[in-house]
Amino acid sequence: MNEFEAIDRMAALLPERPDDVLVSIGDDCAVFRIGEERWVAAADMLVSGRHFLPAADPEDVGYKAVAVNVSDAAAMGARPRFVLTSAAAPNSETALACFRGVAAACREFGVYPLGGDTTGSDALVVDVAILGVLDGEPVLRSGARAGDLIAVTGELGASEAGLLALTEGIGGFERLKERHRRPEPRLEAGLVAARSGAGAMIDLSDGLASDLRHICRASGVGATVHLERLPLADDTRKLASLLRREPEQLAATGGEDFELLVTGSEAALKRIERASGIPVTPIGEVTVGDDVAFLLNGERIEGLSGWDHFET
Amino acid sequence: MNEFEAIDRMAALLPERPDDVLVSIGDDCAVFRIGEERWVAAADMLVSGRHFLPAADPEDVGYKAVAVNVSDAAAMGARPRFVLTSAAAPNSETALACFRGVAAACREFGVYPLGGDTTGSDALVVDVAILGVLDGEPVLRSGARAGDLIAVTGELGASEAGLLALTEGIGGFERLKERHRRPEPRLEAGLVAARSGAGAMIDLSDGLASDLRHICRASGVGATVHLERLPLADDTRKLASLLRREPEQLAATGGEDFELLVTGSEAALKRIERASGIPVTPIGEVTVGDDVAFLLNGERIEGLSGWDHFET
């Protein structure tokens, strides 16, 4: 049983959905109604040795734990408001350092930490739950329609390249390492996308190859991606070349970009780019059917996949 | 630096409190306003080998992780509505079993699981964040006044006795073991207390000796507890006697009772007992000053304390 089968089996155990829950498990966030307002909620857990290197600075880990949740809220088109942060740490100094990063990220993203828990453990584990508020309609994974363009914000592969530089002990590449340590969720682009006619949206946490499949499955569509169109920075290409890795494949499978994948018309994508000031790069098209094809210069590349958290 | 010093230092790092946050870190839950409604939020993390035995059934662990959060909402006088549950587990089967317990607890307490995260780790770690809604005023830790009575719901020491029976490999005592594995949060009693004039309230998670001190510190008062008045069940006494432990001290320091400690007038305590159908036993008085005294048959007992999650 892999991670996604486990999640499907969990979904089958859910109690009956209350009327005030509008979107349940299966999107970047759940959506629920409180009075006249619509709120989103999600949680993400980071585990030492799985989501970050055991030697990582706990302050970076705390920062990242908040940033990845802000990214989930952004992917719904919501404004994040509150977090609850729990940390299990080998000692109270580590827990405090981690919270210092949490607090820094909260200031950065305009989020307030309502509370949480602190406890002992052998290795650092941080879980953050986030609450955000919607101005308009949420942008769901299920909104992709055949004929839409597929685009991504910013750049792909930088975080994976940074992680490889760290694990392979390669000097330099500080910008890439920082992208891995302190990702930059696309908060404003998400808000803009929601009011600019985005069809579907997801944040790229497990890697494009995985996350695009979530969009296709939820929307009942297929997709064609032209890998040579992926936006890669020069330092990402240089690092890939050093490690003799094909840069576009690295970018399509690498996790933790925390960019947004958006579907929509060419006009909608242009509006998002203009209003957010973040590059929005078309990389493919939504198709009829359920085939998800990755082409590199017209040639199909098989076997691309992102993370499975229970694979070892 | 112990757990509570670490929490104080974390509180100093908080960003400025937004206007819609009414109660911040330092109570059982935070309180915040959404439109006309007031909501509470909290999170509790359970770690293998710290909060439960490594051999514990993951389904029990999932159940308990929800129950202890329901207890936090109850201690504010709130009705729990939603949880977000994250689990790091050695394999997807363990994660699924854990979620089976989460789902069972959600049904039991009328809570809906909005989402969460599932990931890999060496040992099981579960974090639950809870959201609840208030009908009236929240009952805070800071509401104890000199002259009030101190009372507890239900019984004390049963969970600690059950844990000892499990760790010492003592047969029988199934009721106590079940109290440890699947605690029963005092949801109705908490709701009743909020509308029956309770002064202060906290749920007993770290043990009476610790948790009463939280109330005293937050309220700027002292307390006298008469240990011989603690409500102990016969099987708890019997287990304590088997292990040559003083039963009242076991009950005053043992964690995870998830009973409510309430302060108020005699009349208020009687109303809570009547309306909830749960025994509410006066065990002492709130006093002027800051001395927290535990007396056993009139003789002062020093050195009683509950859990510190970073003590080893």
Side-chain angles (χ1 to χ4, degrees), chain A residues 270-304:
Chain A
K270 278 206 191 321
R271 280 195 296 272
I272 299 168
E273 182 170 69
R274 216 164 31 232
S276 70
I278 304 289
V280 175
T281 308
I283 61 169
E285 307 85 38
V286 180
T287 59
V288 174
D290 60 6
D291 183 36
V292 181
F294 293 91
L295 310 180
L296 182 57
N297 302 316
E299 193 180 323
R300 186 165 178 139
I301 309 286
E302 299 290 354
L304 293 187

Side-chain angles (χ1 to χ4, degrees), chain A residues 15-36:
Chain A
E16 198 189 343
R17 183 159 61 83
D19 288 340
D20 50 359
V21 176
L22 307 174
V23 177
S24 183
I25 287 172
D27 216 302
D28 293 277
C29 293
V31 182
F32 58 109
R33 200 172 45 224
I34 298 180
E36 299 295 302

Side-chain angles (χ1 to χ4, degrees), chain A residues 1 24 45 81 92 117 127, chain B residues 1 20 45 92 112 117 127:
Chain A
M1 183 165 53
S24 183
M45 184 179 256
R81 286 295 325 278
S92 54
D117 194 11
D127 186 47
Chain B
M1 184 165 51
D20 51 358
M45 184 179 256
S92 54
Y112 188 77
D117 195 10
D127 187 46

Side-chain angles (χ1 to χ4, degrees), chain A residues 186-241:
Chain A
R186 297 304 187 184
L187 180 48
E188 285 306 312
L191 288 165
V192 164
R195 53 174 192 263
S196 303
M201 189 152 60
I202 190 170
D203 75 319
L204 295 175
S205 55
D206 291 343
L208 173 67
S210 273
D211 292 321
L212 175 59
R213 285 188 174 96
H214 295 318
I215 289 272
C216 290
R217 192 160 61 150
S219 299
V221 296
T224 301
V225 169
H226 309 280
L227 291 171
E228 69 280 4
R229 298 185 195 164
L230 301 189
L232 273 79
D234 288 345
D235 48 359
T236 301
R237 289 189 184 281
K238 193 171 156 198
L239 193 279
S241 142

Side-chain angles (χ1 to χ4, degrees), chain B residues 94-172:
Chain B
T94 302
L96 183 60
C98 178
F99 191 76
R100 207 173 289 124
V102 165
C106 285
R107 280 173 214 277
E108 177 71 24
F109 306 120
V111 173
Y112 188 77
L114 283 178
D117 195 10
T118 306
T119 188
S121 72
D122 295 337
L124 183 60
V125 176
V126 188
D127 187 46
V128 172
I130 195 160
L131 299 172
V133 65
L134 285 162
D135 279 334
E137 293 294 317
V139 186
L140 305 181
R141 294 182 179 180
S142 54
R145 297 292 169 260
D148 282 352
L149 292 181
I150 299 167
V152 294
T153 59
E155 57 168 325
L156 298 190
S159 172
E160 178 74 9
L163 174 60
L164 288 170
L166 287 165
T167 52
E168 303 288 329
I170 299 172

Side-chain angles (χ1 to χ4, degrees), chain A residues 52-69:
Chain A
F52 55 90
L53 304 174
D57 181 341
E59 202 168 322
D60 286 336
V61 175
Y63 185 98
K64 188 168 179 173
V66 172
V68 306
N69 276 281

Side-chain angles (χ1 to χ4, degrees), chain B residues 11-12 17 44-45 48 53 67 69 77 86-87 90 111 114 130 154 166 172 210 219 229 251 261 268 270 276 293 309:
Chain B
R17 183 161 60 84
D44 265 304
M45 184 179 256
S48 178
L53 303 173
N69 276 280
S86 294
V111 173
L114 283 178
I130 195 160
L166 287 165
S210 274
S219 299
R229 297 186 196 164
L261 183 150
K270 279 208 192 318
S276 69
H309 294 286

